[in-house]
Every structure is written in C-alpha cells, then in structure tokens.
Amino acid sequence: MNEALIQKTSLFFKDTFQAEPEIIVLSPGRINIIGEHIDYNDGFVLPAAIDKIITFAFQKNNTTNSRIIAIDLEDEFELDLQTPIVLSDKVWTNYIRGVVLQLKKANFNFQGFDCVFSSNIPLGSGLSSSAALECGLLYGINELFKLNIKPVDIALMGQKAEHWVGINCGIMDQFSSVMGLENKVLKIDCETLEYEYHNADFNDYSLVLFDSNVKHSLFTSAYNTRREECEEGLRIMKNNFSQINSFRDCTENQLLSVKDKMSPNVFKRAHFVIKEINRVELACEALDNGNIPFLGELMFETHEGLSSDYEVSCAELDMIVNTLKKEEAVIGSRLMGGGFGGCTINLIKKGQEEAIKTKLSKLYLDTFGIELRIYDVKIGNGTSLYNPN
C-alpha cells in the first residue's frame, strides 16, 4: 500500500517539475495505546507510529520561493521566504507556514524548495495527520539543507508550529511521529521528554481502528476548557500538598481529601488524569509480560474514564465500545485521541476480525445512519528517508 503511495508521489513530482525528487520522506500517523489527554498534564503516554503515512518528494530550487502541492487536495501554494509569514484562510497551508516560521525563528539558513505530498492517513480520525505533515516537512528541509536538527527538536518545532496554527497540543503526536520504531511503543515522559521503548507484541490479537465517521464541533473549545480545568485542579492540589509539583505526584486519596475545594468538573478531570497516569505504568508492565488481556482491561477502563470523568466521548463512540465490550473476541476498546468523534482503538482476537467488523458495521449503520470506517494498523517506523534499496 505504501509503495503505491510513494510511486504516485514520485511520479507526480516528476511530471510537475520535470526532475526526479532529490529526497523522499515518509512521515507516519500515530496511535496511542493508552494515556489519553495526559501529554499536556505532564504525565506519561504510550503512543506508536503506524504504517499509515504522508509521503513527501522534495528538491531545492535555488530561489527564495517555495512551491508546495497537496496532491490529494488538488491544491497548491507558494511561499516567499523573504516575506513575513502570516496565517491564511486556506487552513492546510498554515501547518506548512508554521513549520517555516519556526525554522526562521531559530535562525536556520535554508532556501526555496519544491515539495509535493500525498497521504493515506485518514483525515479527522485522530491519527495525527497534522503532526505527520509538520514533522515530515521539517525532516525533509533538514535533510535538503543539512541543518543538523536533532529528531527530538524536529518534534518540538512541529509542536510549536501546531500551536501557531491555534491547536494547543501536547508533545505526544509529533514525538511519536518522529521517534517511532517498528513493533515498539514509546513510553514518553511528557515533563522531561525522556522516553523508552517497550515491545508491542500483541500476540494473538490484531489492532483495528473503528472510525466513527463523526467529528463534533465541540472539539476545539472543549479541549481548551479541559486544559484549564486540569490546571485549576493541579493548582488546588499544590496549594494543599507542598510536595506536589505535577499530577504524577498525586494520589487518589489526596485528591479525595480536597474534593470539596474543587468544582465537580475540576474534580472529575483531575480524577481521570491521576488514574490514567497510573494505567500507563500498568500497561507497560502488561506489554513487558505479554499480558495482552490485562492491557485490554486497562483500555476499557480508560474509555469509561474518558466518557464519565473527562467527558470527551459521544454517543457514537460509547456505542462502539459498549457493543464491543460484550464480544468475547474483543479484549480492549476505547476512544483514541481528543474525543467527540474520531476513532476507537481495539484489540480483537486474530481470526475473529471480519465477523466483528461485519456485525458492528451493520449495527452502527442501523443505529446512527452512518457508515463505519475501518482501518487495520500495524506499528511502524517514525519519520525517515525513503530508501528503495
């Protein structure tokens, strides 16, 4: 599948610029096994890069002008590197403008380039296509102009580009897109950016994503509200316990002891965060021990917390998870990503996938009148140069 995408991107570049691309960059989307809404709460997350990617073809053009073409959108724009970079009404271009702005702010010396890109990361599904776009572009410019930017700094600059666009995201998406390894999950400490790899051998189970095919408009405002509620909760915890610096220092008992000092919503948000940070640790142990059924139980717990305490689920996602929970072949399911739509991530016993897909798809269509989209995913490598040999 990715080979066809690479060929398509390369041929488009050749037809457009009458030249072979100097480099081809592959930049993946990501999943998060567990640790949702924790990256901006200084906890731990457990993401992985996947085998759904954006493919970029690049060349230097020895001018101060860059031409960027989005093949799938049948759209393009030009960026003069000598003029101030400002937000555009054409939203997809802002991620690219944001990347170039970060490079300029950091005083990197680079010139104009030509770039085309194409993707098989489903848009709006919570698989972080924007992080793949930012990091793939940064990686390509870094390689073209020998800027010697470290991988971790590529992730951090990608995050800053996304902030500039207006999404106040944590570091998880960009970090996992850049640093992912095939058949490994990344445990990232979102406070220090220390990270470690854990084997992602799901043994007798397949990773399947069920895309609800909805995206409720609540998302951006609710995301920012959740951040504010968490900050308020942490402030109250710090005021009452001198040893607490972040949610990772909090116990559930400490939180319960100051419940009356918090609004109901602030308490619920903090409750979820403290329990979810603990679940990430338990998930790493489960993976290390090959105890995949226990990992699945933790995923179900996370969904319950995201739905009841963090309140970022929706009727469609809850229906998917509640339906799958009754199926013996499904050992874990939860919403993945920001919420209010997007995907569930699911562990399904090998050999049972098609039966589960057929049954759920029919039930979902009957319930909501919406077609369920389904993606089989494998854990792949982070952003890299394509080498055909």
Side-chain angles (χ1 to χ4, degrees), residues 251-262:
T251 66
E252 210 173 335
N253 284 338
Q254 286 172 323
L255 176 68
L256 291 167
S257 73
V258 295
K259 183 177 180 179
D260 60 342
K261 298 180 180 178
M262 297 180 178

Side-chain angles (χ1 to χ4, degrees), residues 90-276:
K90 198 180 279 191
V91 174
W92 73 268
T93 71
N94 287 332
Y95 296 98
I96 290 158
R97 294 171 197 272
V99 161
V100 172
L101 180 63
Q102 297 313 315
L103 288 164
K104 289 177 77 169
K105 276 186 172 177
N107 295 316
F108 283 106
N109 187 19
F110 62 104
Q111 293 176 297
F113 57 91
D114 300 317
C115 171
V116 308
F117 65 91
S118 184
S119 174
N120 59 21
I121 304 171
L123 288 174
S125 304
L127 301 182
S128 296
S129 54
S130 59
L133 181 59
E134 294 146 2
C135 295
L137 195 74
L138 278 160
Y139 193 99
I141 296 169
N142 184 43
E143 289 289 332
L144 268 184
F145 297 100
K146 307 291 182 239
L147 303 181
N148 296 317
I149 307 171
K150 293 175 183 167
V152 170
D153 291 327
I154 287 176
L156 288 166
M157 290 172 85
Q159 181 195 23
K160 283 181 185 170
E162 188 125 356
H163 288 177
W164 181 77
V165 172
I167 304 294
N168 197 13
C169 65
I171 188 57
M172 174 177 70
D173 296 351
Q174 290 80 8
F175 202 96
S176 43
S177 188
V178 174
M179 306 297 291
L181 275 184
E182 193 172 358
N183 297 325
K184 302 279 184 185
V185 295
L186 269 162
K187 182 191 175 194
I188 307 168
D189 181 329
C190 298
E191 198 171 42
T192 65
L193 292 191
E194 291 175 327
Y195 62 96
E196 60 192 34
Y197 293 100
H198 291 263
N199 285 330
D201 182 357
F202 298 109
N203 301 326
D204 302 326
Y205 302 94
S206 297
L207 271 178
V208 180
L209 308 181
F210 291 119
D211 183 349
S212 65
N213 214 356
V214 297
K215 197 69 184 172
H216 295 288
S217 57
L218 283 164
F219 174 67
T220 303
S221 61
Y223 179 90
N224 291 331
T225 303
R226 294 300 178 280
R227 290 196 69 143
E228 289 160 14
E229 289 165 339
C230 289
E231 286 161 11
E232 171 69 7
L234 183 58
R235 190 156 51 243
I236 293 167
M237 294 297 287
K238 283 179 171 179
N239 287 343
N240 286 274
F241 301 98
S242 59
Q243 72 272 33
I244 286 177
N245 292 309
S246 74
F247 276 118
R248 69 174 70 188
D249 306 320
C250 303
T251 66
E252 210 173 335
N253 284 338
Q254 286 172 323
L255 176 68
L256 291 167
S257 73
V258 295
K259 183 177 180 179
D260 60 342
K261 298 180 180 178
M262 297 180 178
S263 72
N265 278 352
V266 167
F267 171 77
K268 285 195 289 186
R269 309 312 181 232
H271 195 218
F272 169 77
V273 169
I274 290 166
K275 293 209 288 192
E276 185 74 349

